Amino acid sequence: IFARLEAEGLAPAPEAPRSTLIRRAALDLTGLPPTLADVERFVNDPSPEAYENLVDRLLDSPEFGERMAWEWLDAARYADSNGYQGDSDRTMWPWRDWVVEAFNRNLPYDQFTLWQLAGDLLPDAAPEQKLATGFLRNHMINGEGGRIAEENRVEYVMDMTETVATVWLGLTFNCNRCHDHKFDPLSQEDYYSLSAFFNQTPVDGSGGNPQTPPILEWATQRQVERLAALNDEVRSAASLVEEWEKGSEKSKKDFERVQTILKKSPADRSRNELAELEKHSGEYLERVKQQRETVEKRDNFRAAIPKVMVMADRRDWRETYILERGLYDKRRDPVPAATPAQLPDFPAGAPTNRLGLALWLVSPENPLTARVAVNRLWQQFFGVGLVKTANDFGVQGEKPSHPELLDWLAVEFVESGWDMKQLVRLLVTSAAYRQSSRASPELLEKDPENRLLARGPRYRWPSWMLRDQALAASGLLARRVGGAPVNSYQPPGVWEDATFGNKKYTMDTGEKLYRRSLYTFWRRIIAPTMFFDTASRQVCTVKTPRTNTPLQALSLLNDVTYVEAARSLAEQVLTHASGDSARIDLAFARVLAREPSPLEKQTLLASIHRLKGEFSGDEESAQALISNSASQPPEHLPKAELAAYTGLCLAILNLDEALTKE
């Protein structure tokens, strides 16, 4: 990078200040701002390895996996519903939690690939390896009336094919559904040969069942133990019934007499038979009732255990055909399962199934997989990939800005054993990443998109991260990792309007309102309204847009989440600091990891004095501002002062520096 700058007559920027570095690294690696203690520890650490040690701590935190999962969920088109008109809810969230855990335990990328594409085909496949194949089942499911099942089935196979081609090969394979690629050396036959690997599932495309088999019950250890206990109860109750039925000879005779009576219609039973039934069946019926109740309790508990759609193959090989213009019923020539002809050969001895395909993807001879993965990570931390078109490594894609660097990083990645954390560490400890993001007018004119990397990355953080930052800085964030999706704040009527009234939105309460954005319920046909510039999660997306509109600013200033976070932050500073000056310092540090400059301090002091004056004379407005959320303000804080600091903290949360990667 620096050699290129020298050739262009440019010099690299100096290293960013430590407060900037820790905030940049913390948000990049965990999606959350650093704590005050973290900032103090790093800023005052005289060790030459202080920054590297900081990065290691961030990589080891449980929040790392949560942050890294977001882009993978976009690529995997993960959502909590099927999509289309019915948009039935589904339970794929255990797969989402597996992704978080895989990143946290640093599962090598080649294994990460094998498990998600073919975990069920591995020898003695473990449950989590089967769970990982949920990646392929994240596609939408069409349950619209009148839809042809085979058309659905073929569409699902095509979705799997195109997703794998984008995620691992960086190729615009969807062009080949209908014809040979107009630019890349990819034929229509290549497309359907690749699709043959995914054409072997038993899924038939019928209905809109959000738990279409193959499925995997995914119980927690506590649920496994509880289910075992309930099964013991069922066996115990059954043994009591059996004991009664297989008792002494006289019991047997009584039971036979009761059975004879029970076979008669109730209207045909004599008074003596009814008396006999009442006399002899009480204990037996009580035992049967107990058995039924235990079975019901066991079955109801089991029904609540998440069932995740996973992959499996049919016993009989399904023939795959080239489809004319991609139409499911316009079959042409049959094709074998094979990889694109212009790419390296299929590994010798590898099985001709999804496992063989996965082994081909991560083989050292494959020129694309490592480069595509490295490029997306570069995009994640620098804003733009070394290849700007992260979804297109074909001839229409942009050539890499630093081709030798891309090659070197890819080789390093493979030779490290596909070590994800090591690659991330390599990127964020580089001198290029650590540069200040300040730029002169001359540099902006010469390199407005920072393709030469003469300065540190600077762009607005993603909307989901801005929400998590606000929750964390304010002390509201619920840090529990994993679990079922939650419903946070949302304007009324959104789901209802999008689903013709079929889906009703019920907002959660308590800590669920403050879970990380990763755990927000993602309805496929109407994404969470609190986010912007995010993938739709309807198809594979490896590069999300970054726009700038007034509506985004209005959302960040007025959405209940941010107003409540501002009030909670105001409560923190009013409780833990005395005097306006110290309180401003504390609020500023919790959000921006530094002290305000004298000019910033002067501006904020003037602002808080103005706000206090406005709210002291308008208690109704003060009350409205501090009580517009599910949680209520503490009684011991004066309403006008709390409202004033809420306004100030909301402004700090919306400063350019708070919203932007510096």
Coordinates of all heavy atoms in Angstrom, one line a residue, residues 535-570:
A535 N -29.6 -5.3 4.1 CA -30.0 -6.2 3.1 C -31.5 -6.6 3.4 O -32.0 -6.6 4.5 CB -29.1 -7.5 3.2
S536 N -32.2 -7.0 2.3 CA -33.6 -7.4 2.5 C -33.7 -8.7 3.1 O -34.8 -9.1 3.6 CB -34.3 -7.4 1.1 OG -33.8 -8.4 0.3
R537 N -32.7 -9.5 3.0 CA -32.6 -10.9 3.5 C -33.6 -11.8 2.7 O -33.9 -12.9 3.1 CB -33.0 -11.0 5.0 CG -32.1 -10.2 5.9 CD -30.8 -11.0 6.2 NE -29.9 -10.2 7.1 CZ -29.9 -10.2 8.4 NH1 -30.8 -10.9 9.0 NH2 -29.0 -9.6 9.1
Q538 N -33.9 -11.3 1.5 CA -34.7 -12.2 0.6 C -33.8 -13.0 -0.3 O -34.2 -14.1 -0.7 CB -35.7 -11.3 -0.2 CG -36.7 -10.7 0.6 CD -37.7 -9.8 -0.2 OE1 -37.6 -9.7 -1.4 NE2 -38.7 -9.3 0.5
V539 N -32.7 -12.4 -0.7 CA -31.7 -13.1 -1.5 C -30.3 -12.9 -0.9 O -30.1 -12.0 -0.1 CB -31.7 -12.7 -3.0 CG1 -33.0 -13.1 -3.6 CG2 -31.5 -11.2 -3.1
C540 N -29.3 -13.6 -1.3 CA -27.9 -13.4 -0.9 C -27.5 -12.0 -1.2 O -27.6 -11.5 -2.3 CB -27.1 -14.5 -1.6 SG -25.3 -14.2 -1.4
T541 N -26.9 -11.4 -0.2 CA -26.4 -10.0 -0.3 C -25.0 -9.9 0.4 O -24.9 -10.2 1.6 CB -27.3 -9.0 0.3 OG1 -28.6 -9.1 -0.2 CG2 -26.8 -7.5 0.1
V542 N -24.0 -9.6 -0.4 CA -22.6 -9.5 0.2 C -22.1 -8.1 0.1 O -21.0 -7.8 0.6 CB -21.6 -10.4 -0.6 CG1 -22.0 -11.9 -0.4 CG2 -21.5 -10.1 -2.1
K543 N -22.9 -7.1 -0.3 CA -22.5 -5.7 -0.3 C -23.8 -4.9 -0.2 O -24.6 -4.8 -1.1 CB -21.8 -5.4 -1.6 CG -21.2 -4.0 -1.7 CD -20.5 -3.7 -3.0 CE -20.0 -2.2 -3.0 NZ -19.3 -1.9 -4.3
T544 N -23.9 -4.3 1.0 CA -25.1 -3.5 1.3 C -24.9 -2.0 0.9 O -23.7 -1.5 0.9 CB -25.5 -3.5 2.8 OG1 -24.3 -3.2 3.6 CG2 -25.9 -4.9 3.1
P545 N -25.9 -1.3 0.5 CA -25.8 0.1 0.1 C -25.5 1.0 1.3 O -25.7 0.6 2.5 CB -27.1 0.4 -0.5 CG -28.1 -0.5 0.3 CD -27.3 -1.8 0.5
R546 N -24.9 2.1 1.0 CA -24.7 3.2 2.0 C -25.2 4.5 1.5 O -24.6 5.1 0.6 CB -23.2 3.2 2.4 CG -22.9 4.0 3.7 CD -21.4 4.0 4.0 NE -21.0 2.7 4.4 CZ -20.0 2.0 3.8 NH1 -19.4 2.6 2.8 NH2 -19.7 0.8 4.2
T547 N -26.3 4.9 2.0 CA -27.0 6.1 1.5 C -27.0 7.2 2.6 O -26.7 6.9 3.7 CB -28.4 5.8 1.0 OG1 -29.2 5.3 2.1 CG2 -28.4 4.8 -0.1
N548 N -27.5 8.3 2.2 CA -27.6 9.4 3.2 C -28.9 10.2 2.9 O -28.9 10.9 1.9 CB -26.4 10.3 3.1 CG -26.2 11.1 4.4 OD1 -27.0 11.0 5.3 ND2 -25.2 12.0 4.4
T549 N -29.9 10.1 3.7 CA -31.2 10.8 3.5 C -31.7 11.4 4.8 O -31.3 11.0 5.9 CB -32.3 9.8 3.0 OG1 -32.7 8.9 4.1 CG2 -31.8 8.9 1.9
P550 N -32.5 12.5 4.6 CA -33.1 13.1 5.8 C -33.9 12.2 6.7 O -33.9 12.4 7.9 CB -34.0 14.2 5.2 CG -33.5 14.4 3.8 CD -32.9 13.1 3.4
L551 N -34.5 11.2 6.1 CA -35.3 10.2 6.9 C -34.4 9.5 7.9 O -34.9 9.1 9.0 CB -36.0 9.2 6.0 CG -37.2 9.8 5.2 CD1 -37.8 8.7 4.3 CD2 -38.3 10.3 6.2
Q552 N -33.2 9.2 7.6 CA -32.3 8.5 8.5 C -32.0 9.4 9.7 O -32.0 9.0 10.8 CB -31.0 8.2 7.7 CG -31.2 7.2 6.6 CD -30.1 7.1 5.6 OE1 -29.1 7.8 5.8 NE2 -30.2 6.2 4.6
A553 N -31.7 10.7 9.4 CA -31.5 11.6 10.5 C -32.7 11.8 11.4 O -32.6 11.8 12.7 CB -31.1 13.0 10.0
L554 N -33.9 11.8 10.8 CA -35.1 11.9 11.6 C -35.3 10.7 12.5 O -35.8 10.8 13.6 CB -36.3 12.1 10.7 CG -36.4 13.5 10.0 CD1 -37.5 13.5 8.9 CD2 -36.7 14.6 11.0
S555 N -35.0 9.5 11.9 CA -35.1 8.3 12.7 C -34.2 8.3 13.9 O -34.6 7.9 15.0 CB -34.8 7.1 11.8 OG -34.9 5.9 12.5
L556 N -32.9 8.7 13.7 CA -31.9 8.6 14.8 C -32.2 9.7 15.8 O -31.8 9.6 17.0 CB -30.5 8.9 14.2 CG -30.0 7.8 13.2 CD1 -28.7 8.2 12.6 CD2 -29.8 6.5 14.0
L557 N -33.0 10.7 15.5 CA -33.3 11.8 16.4 C -34.7 11.5 17.1 O -34.9 12.0 18.3 CB -33.4 13.1 15.8 CG -32.1 13.9 15.6 CD1 -32.3 15.0 14.6 CD2 -31.5 14.4 16.9
N558 N -35.6 10.7 16.5 CA -36.9 10.6 17.0 C -37.4 9.2 17.4 O -38.4 9.1 18.1 CB -37.9 11.2 16.0 CG -37.7 12.7 15.8 OD1 -38.1 13.5 16.7 ND2 -37.1 13.1 14.7
D559 N -36.7 8.2 16.9 CA -37.1 6.8 17.2 C -37.1 6.6 18.7 O -36.2 7.1 19.4 CB -36.2 5.8 16.5 CG -36.7 4.4 16.6 OD1 -36.4 3.8 17.7 OD2 -37.4 3.9 15.7
V560 N -38.1 5.9 19.2 CA -38.2 5.6 20.6 C -36.9 5.1 21.2 O -36.5 5.5 22.3 CB -39.4 4.7 20.9 CG1 -39.4 4.4 22.4 CG2 -40.7 5.3 20.5
T561 N -36.3 4.2 20.5 CA -35.0 3.6 21.0 C -34.0 4.6 21.3 O -33.4 4.5 22.4 CB -34.5 2.6 19.9 OG1 -35.4 1.5 19.7 CG2 -33.1 2.1 20.3
Y562 N -33.8 5.6 20.5 CA -32.7 6.6 20.7 C -33.1 7.6 21.7 O -32.3 8.1 22.5 CB -32.4 7.3 19.3 CG -31.8 6.3 18.4 CD1 -32.6 5.7 17.4 CD2 -30.5 5.9 18.4 CE1 -32.1 4.7 16.5 CE2 -30.0 4.9 17.5 CZ -30.8 4.4 16.6 OH -30.3 3.4 15.7
V563 N -34.4 8.0 21.8 CA -34.8 8.9 22.8 C -34.7 8.3 24.2 O -34.3 8.9 25.2 CB -36.3 9.4 22.5 CG1 -36.8 10.3 23.7 CG2 -36.4 10.1 21.2
E564 N -35.1 7.0 24.3 CA -35.0 6.3 25.5 C -33.6 6.1 25.9 O -33.2 6.2 27.1 CB -35.7 4.9 25.4 CG -35.7 4.1 26.8 CD -36.4 2.8 26.7 OE1 -36.4 2.2 25.6 OE2 -36.9 2.3 27.7
A565 N -32.7 5.8 25.0 CA -31.3 5.6 25.3 C -30.7 7.0 25.7 O -29.9 7.0 26.7 CB -30.5 5.2 24.0
A566 N -31.1 8.1 25.1 CA -30.7 9.4 25.6 C -31.1 9.7 27.0 O -30.3 10.2 27.8 CB -31.2 10.5 24.6
R567 N -32.3 9.3 27.3 CA -32.8 9.5 28.7 C -32.0 8.7 29.7 O -31.7 9.1 30.8 CB -34.3 9.2 28.8 CG -34.9 9.7 30.1 CD -36.2 9.0 30.4 NE -35.9 7.6 30.9 CZ -36.7 6.6 30.8 NH1 -37.9 6.8 30.3 NH2 -36.4 5.4 31.3
S568 N -31.8 7.4 29.3 CA -31.0 6.5 30.2 C -29.6 7.0 30.4 O -29.1 7.0 31.5 CB -31.0 5.1 29.6 OG -30.3 4.2 30.5
L569 N -29.0 7.5 29.3 CA -27.7 8.1 29.4 C -27.7 9.3 30.3 O -26.8 9.6 31.2 CB -27.1 8.5 28.0 CG -25.7 9.1 28.0 CD1 -24.7 8.2 28.7 CD2 -25.3 9.4 26.5
A570 N -28.8 10.1 30.2 CA -28.9 11.3 31.1 C -29.0 10.9 32.5 O -28.5 11.5 33.4 CB -30.2 12.1 30.6

